[in-house]
Amino acid sequence: MFGFRRRKPVNPPVLDKRDTDLARLARETFDLLIIGGGITGATIARDAALRGLSVALIEKNDFASGTSSRSSKLVHGGLRYLKGRHVRLVRESLRERGVLLKIAPHLVEPAPFFLPVYAGGKDGRLKLRLGLTAYDLLAGFGDIGRHTVLSREKMLEAEPLLRAEGLQGGFRYFDCVVDDGRLTLATVRSAVQQGALALNYVEATGLERDGERVTGVFFRDVIGGGSGNAHARVIVNAAGPWSDRLREMAGVAGILRPSKGVHLVVPRSRLGLTHVIVIPRLDRVFFAVPTGDSVYVGTTDTDFKGDPGAVRIDSADAAYVLDSTNALFSDAQLTTADVVAGWAGVRPLVAKEGTPLPSDVSRDFEIDPGPEGFYTIAGGKLTTSRAMAEALLDRVIAQEGARFDWRPTPCRTGQTPIFGGNVEGFERYAQAAAASLVGSWGIPLETAPRLVRTHGTEHVALLACARRDAALLRPLSDACPVLRAEAVYAAEQEMAMTLGDFMERRTKLMLFDPDHGLDGAEEAARLIGDVLGWSPRERQRQLSLYRDDVAAMTAFAKEPPSVVDPASG
Ligand code: FAD
């Protein structure tokens, strides 16, 4: 039984609700219990709940705090995979790109990508042109736009700071950028809307068995300190790069070949970038993506051993990313002193024989059943997560449905909007909504479009909390444009439990604000603390943890240079 005590005689309502949810987790037997609140676990929870199964999802940290907020933030077919002849994967990814654009139009945004071609480059113009034609065909012509050929002059007109020497011209094609962390969160909230129970900061610490069959998990409430056990007919291991740890608990061999990827953030003014640039390297493809006043560049692909929670950017990663960027932006000559932020993530790739480099390992996913009642799903991409969930549930239902007399409806995730995305013609809607926010609510012109893009139709619910206090419509500080209402809403409605949850994933202040939102962090801690009942000491602790996290992003700059090549694997 869940050893559960109420925190105080009178809890803040948000914690009361969490206590009720924890008690429900310990009390009910669910059809499905999912371990891991990244995009994989979140999409499975949404799909299963939409099919009418009873679902619980537990995440040991914050939703998306693992790999799912540390990606390149692209919803894409993966042009480079055409070269590896993974045509099926590219076709599936492009199809899923189309689906995500429809069901999450607020979070997935089409963008032109510029691919420069240089003399002596590894792929000639003809080869690239053929590849891009195939890419357009696989996406279905007319999807979000066909590629065009650009002369040298047009390429430099679009991006004047690109290295001119050796530039022959290039291509413009279309793919999408995404807010990965918020896509995961919106997916979790969609699952909850359909009746799923979803709890962050709840860790699975062991598995419970009845004979050979896995029937439950032991869990620990990371915030309140309680512990207990939860039961389900089927347990799904969607723990991303931690999946092998869960498999070890289940007594089965590991299947992963984890690979590390890093991104660095530099001020936009240093590269003068307007569009996403594809930087071709000999061994892989790099992206430079402008966002707000920043540009992020990456990524690397190296074997990773160790705790995925402890993954960090090291000096060799940084040198590789900076060298790759400087090769194309030779006048910029970026150094570590230019790096203002960054992130490292671990891909939960599935090991395959005969792939010496991690970048050769397929981005396909695998479903591995066993022991009885326990299914592992690993690999894949953010882009294909909806299809992964569908495949997993089809398999689980085929294998377990009759035994438990399940009568699920067919998969509906491809037609059902994700939380905040229930609107046709999003661009038109966003313009009108932003204009109304400026006109009727007095929201600053530079804030309104961001609010609508981040929350979609849910921006209305966010602003409703400002009805009780008009001061919540003000920014966190003069230098920090995020509204106070966003902090309150994050704690009340979006399950933010720490200041970092808000600064890093509910907003992207930590990564992309020039000051990492530090100027507004104290006010955010006050507002979130009021909702969660923090003492003055806890507020200070949260602030100091956040400052440490900010400093850790660029700690590599103080390390001695390393000799490992992050591209070699
Ligand atoms: P995770 O997001 O890691 O989720 C697993 C979760 O399980 C974690 O949050 C963890 O805390 C939780 N967990 C672990 N153990 C326990 C436990 N015992 N109890 C409870 N919870 C537990 N894909 C794209 O489509 N586009 C891209 O541009 C792209 N770029 C990428 C760039 C990089 C550098 C990397 C690393 C990946 C990229 N990917 C991209 C791939 C994509 O990000 C991943 O495939 C995806 O995020 C994996 O999600 P996941 O849910 O399987 O894992």
Side-chain angles (χ1 to χ4, degrees):
M1 228 354 249
F2 185 54
F4 177 75
R5 262 180 299 135
R6 289 194 168 269
R7 273 156 259 256
K8 292 184 202 157
V10 180
N11 281 318
V14 169
L15 293 187
D16 258 350
K17 158 92 173 56
R18 184 173 164 88
D19 287 353
T20 307
D21 285 350
L22 283 163
R24 184 179 157 205
L25 179 65
R27 191 180 59 242
E28 278 180 33
T29 298
F30 297 89
D31 289 329
L32 224 61
L33 173 70
I34 301 156
I35 304 168
I39 194 68
T40 307
T43 48
I44 296 167
R46 181 173 95 97
D47 191 340
L50 275 165
R51 294 191 202 210
L53 299 177
S54 65
V55 185
L57 167 73
I58 57 172
E59 162 55 52
K60 74 181 164 98
N61 201 286
D62 187 22
F63 301 117
S65 60
T67 312
S68 296
S69 61
R70 294 154 185 267
S71 78
S72 300
K73 311 189 191 305
L74 305 176
V75 163
H76 62 155
L79 192 54
R80 87 175 174 94
Y81 304 126
L82 275 179
K83 255 179 83 178
R85 309 222 157 62
H86 300 292
V87 175
R88 193 193 51 73
L89 176 64
V90 177
R91 185 189 293 119
E92 179 181 51
S93 302
L94 288 169
R95 187 196 66 215
E96 289 303 312
R97 185 184 77 179
V99 173
L100 278 170
L101 270 166
K102 212 168 54 187
I103 63 175
H106 52 317
L107 298 169
V108 181
E109 192 178 0
F113 283 47
F114 283 70
L115 169 60
V117 179
Y118 284 90
K122 66 182 163 132
D123 294 313
R125 295 177 84 173
L126 181 64
K127 195 166 161 195
L128 285 169
R129 181 132 206 220
L130 284 173
L132 283 163
T133 306
Y135 204 65
D136 289 342
L137 273 169
L138 289 170
F141 277 120
D143 172 38
I144 51 174
R146 294 164 63 161
H147 81 275
T148 47
V149 182
L150 299 179
S151 65
R152 180 178 190 277
E153 290 66 36
K154 283 277 174 216
M155 196 57 131
L156 287 172
E157 202 179 287
E159 293 300 340
L161 296 194
L162 270 179
R163 171 163 63 85
E165 189 198 329
L167 181 66
Q168 295 181 323
F171 299 92
R172 188 187 69 160
Y173 70 97
F174 290 88
D175 250 323
C176 296
V177 289
V178 64
D179 186 335
D180 50 2
R182 288 211 68 98
L183 180 70
T184 306
L185 179 68
T187 308
V188 170
R189 294 194 72 193
S190 301
V192 171
Q193 209 174 28
Q194 295 299 326
L197 177 67
L199 279 152
N200 54 359
Y201 294 99
V202 172
E203 179 178 11
T205 52
L207 300 177
E208 205 178 48
R209 288 176 190 256
D210 183 357
E212 289 302 299
R213 193 173 176 91
V214 178
T215 53
V217 304
F218 298 98
F219 70 83
R220 184 172 74 91
D221 169 15
V222 178
I223 299 280
S227 62
N229 39 8
H231 296 105
R233 295 173 184 96
V234 169
I235 312 286
V236 176
N237 171 12
W242 290 266
S243 300
D244 279 353
R245 299 196 171 187
L246 271 299
R247 289 177 66 82
E248 205 181 316
M249 289 181 201
V252 287
I255 54 170
L256 294 185
R257 179 179 179 177
S259 136
K260 171 184 176 184
V262 312
H263 292 83
L264 302 181
V265 181
V266 298
R268 189 163 175 165
S269 55
R270 291 289 282 119
L271 299 179
L273 217 60
T274 317
H275 307 97
V276 180
I277 295 286
V278 185
I279 306 178
R281 290 271 317 195
L282 274 181
D283 45 350
R284 53 176 299 103
V285 167
F286 248 67
F287 296 96
V289 184
T291 174
D293 293 331
S294 309
V295 170
Y296 64 88
V297 196
T299 179
T300 59
D301 203 339
T302 52
D303 280 319
F304 180 80
K305 293 184 176 59
D307 177 6
V311 65
R312 297 283 175 270
I313 302 170
D314 65 32
S315 54
D317 300 320
Y320 181 78
V321 174
L322 291 173
D323 282 356
S324 307
T325 314
N326 288 334
L328 238 68
F329 294 89
S330 38
D331 287 346
Q333 284 313 310
L334 299 174
T335 69
T336 50
D338 290 302
V339 179
V340 291
W343 64 91
V346 181
R347 299 175 186 84
L349 303 180
V350 179
K352 283 276 176 311
E353 294 221 341
T355 47
L357 295 179
S359 53
D360 295 335
V361 179
S362 166
R363 268 48 179 169
D364 233 332
F365 65 93
E366 208 158 291
I367 297 166
D368 195 275
E372 220 186 305
F374 185 84
Y375 291 77
T376 299
I377 178 162
K381 295 161 64 182
L382 203 76
T383 309
T384 52
S385 53
R386 193 210 62 85
M388 287 168 70
E390 183 175 354
L392 176 105
L393 285 166
D394 286 351
R395 174 107 174 239
V396 168
I397 289 164
Q399 228 148 312
E400 314 277 353
R403 178 191 184 117
F404 297 115
D405 198 22
W406 286 344
R407 310 268 165 86
T409 56
C411 175
R412 289 193 286 132
T413 49
Q415 303 85 47
T416 313
I418 284 178
F419 206 75
N422 49 332
V423 60
E424 292 279 330
F426 181 76
E427 293 307 326
R428 228 175 323 111
Y429 166 83
Q431 270 178 21
S436 139
L437 287 184
V438 175
S440 314
W441 290 81
I443 307 281
L445 197 58
E446 57 281 9
T447 303
R450 180 187 57 77
L451 269 190
V452 182
R453 189 144 279 289
T454 308
H455 296 275
T457 52
E458 271 299 301
H459 75 274
V460 179
L462 184 149
L463 289 174
C465 73
R467 286 195 204 285
R468 56 180 123 111
D469 180 3
L472 293 177
L473 290 177
R474 299 221 310 270
L476 286 171
S477 76
D478 287 346
C480 186
V482 163
L483 301 185
R484 293 165 190 207
E486 293 180 71
V488 173
Y489 183 76
E492 285 184 350
Q493 306 291 334
E494 296 187 322
M495 295 179 265
M497 302 299 292
T498 71
L499 180 61
D501 294 349
F502 176 68
M503 305 296 279
E504 190 175 351
R505 285 170 294 278
R506 305 302 180 280
T507 64
K508 293 252 180 312
L509 284 169
M510 178 165 149
L511 302 178
F512 300 133
D513 182 78
D515 171 50
H516 315 291
L518 284 167
D519 196 60
E522 220 164 306
E523 181 60 11
R526 183 185 74 76
L527 292 162
I528 296 170
D530 280 353
V531 177
L532 297 178
W534 291 345
S535 63
R537 201 161 150 189
E538 177 60 13
R539 257 171 227 178
Q540 284 314 314
R541 194 181 74 88
Q542 292 284 337
L543 276 165
S544 131
L545 285 174
Y546 180 61
R547 288 186 192 116
D548 290 349
D549 285 348
V550 168
M553 288 193 292
T554 51
F556 64 84
K558 299 191 186 92
E559 284 171 17
S562 155
V563 289
V564 182
D565 177 0
S568 71

